Amino acid sequence: MLDTVALVALALLVAAVVASVVPGLPSGLLALAGVYVEYLYGDGMALWLLASFTVVGLLALVVDLFGGAIAGRARGTSNRTTLLAAAAGLVLLFVLGPIGVLLGMFGTVFLLELRRDDRDHEQSLENALWATAGMLASGVAVFLLVASMLAGYAVFVLWLG
């Protein structure tokens, strides 16, 4: 039987997995909250396990926040363009849902890169595709990271602990 602390921790970890597929929700922070609830109020999670979960949770947070920007930057997209694209995607999330994030990212990068003096249509399109693909890839990576935290919690804390 699960106690209240384990249920809260498990609920936060499950919420983190769900949040990982919704743009703009801090899934890494939710997962870390679940782990720390267990560590602070539970039956004594080992310190090595807490450290492992913390590293994975922080990695998920960094990938979530900067994955798309890193991919766009790797193709030569400016920091300004990347930030504006992220803001446009966030605004369009509330208008068009998840497809709005993709359209906002792609359209903003394409249009702003097209306005740059040294960019042609083909290069602007390529940068927009790379930034959008990077955002999608970072979403997959975040999902896998927080899902691994949930699986690790289930195995090492609930089952073996």
Side-chain angles (χ1 to χ4, degrees):
M1 185 85 181
L2 294 176
D3 63 355
T4 305
V5 172
L7 285 173
V8 170
L10 192 58
L12 286 166
L13 285 160
V14 168
V17 172
V18 172
S20 70
V21 297
V22 179
L25 294 180
S27 55
L29 288 178
L30 282 171
L32 284 171
V35 168
Y36 276 86
V37 162
E38 177 66 40
Y39 180 76
L40 294 171
Y41 304 107
D43 293 331
M45 178 190 303
L47 192 56
W48 71 268
L49 191 55
L50 177 68
S52 300
F53 282 138
T54 300
V55 168
V56 174
L58 290 175
L59 182 59
L61 185 61
V62 168
V63 169
D64 198 15
L65 291 174
F66 302 111
I70 291 168
R73 199 63 199 123
R75 294 297 303 164
T77 303
S78 71
N79 288 333
R80 177 182 170 270
T81 296
T82 304
L83 289 173
L84 289 172
L90 186 60
V91 168
L92 287 178
L93 170 67
F94 297 108
V95 177
L96 300 173
I99 194 75
V101 175
L102 296 174
L103 292 174
M105 173 67 81
F106 179 85
T108 304
V109 171
F110 179 73
L111 292 173
L112 292 177
E113 287 295 297
L114 195 59
R115 288 190 56 212
R116 286 178 62 180
D117 294 333
D118 59 341
R119 304 284 185 211
D120 59 9
H121 282 83
E122 188 175 311
Q123 192 172 15
S124 298
L125 179 62
E126 190 174 307
N127 286 359
L129 287 172
W130 271 93
T132 306
M135 183 186 65
L136 290 172
S138 69
V140 170
V142 169
F143 171 79
L144 292 173
L145 288 166
V146 296
S148 73
M149 289 178 73
L150 174 60
Y153 179 78
V155 170
F156 290 108
V157 177
L158 299 180
W159 187 40
L160 297 177

